[in-house]
Amino acid sequence: MQHSQHFYLDTPQTLALRLGAGDMVHVTQGCIWLTLEGHSRDVWLNAHDTWSVPLHAKVWVSAQTQATFTVCQPASPPKSAKAATRAGRLLLAVAA
């Protein structure tokens, strides 16, 4: 079962979240941008866009206008990075 959190942002609010690798951010209304700690490129999401967080990180979320979004955590995160890599290689091998 996935765990979801729902958020509402208005300008000029900025929200700091700790997100995990594989968490999904889904915008239901408006436009948001996300800045990952330690990274120079921002991610922009519009209504109906979904983005998968690539790594565990502190993320700042800001809204261009009023916005609502949901963060869904995966039902069962990988036990380790090695397990995730092995699983990914297995899926690629099966798909080939």
Side-chain angles (χ1 to χ4, degrees):
M1 176 177 199
Q2 286 187 338
H3 174 70
S4 298
Q5 293 180 291
H6 304 280
F7 298 92
Y8 169 83
L9 277 177
D10 198 359
T11 57
Q13 286 180 300
T14 299
L15 179 64
L17 300 172
R18 282 249 175 239
L19 299 180
D23 286 356
M24 301 294 291
V25 178
H26 177 75
V27 179
T28 51
Q29 176 187 354
C31 177
I32 63 172
W33 74 89
L34 302 97
T35 303
L36 278 72
E37 184 174 61
H39 295 270
S40 60
R41 288 185 33 190
D42 289 346
V43 175
W44 288 84
L45 300 174
N46 293 302
H48 310 293
D49 287 347
T50 299
W51 177 67
S52 178
V53 180
L55 49 92
H56 293 283
K58 186 173 186 179
V59 178
W60 285 270
V61 184
S62 302
Q64 185 175 14
T65 60
Q66 293 179 347
T68 57
F69 66 98
T70 303
V71 175
C72 296
Q73 297 169 340
S76 54
K79 291 185 171 112
S80 70
K82 285 183 181 179
T85 301
R86 282 194 303 269
R89 285 187 195 138
L90 180 60
L91 287 174
L92 289 174
V94 170

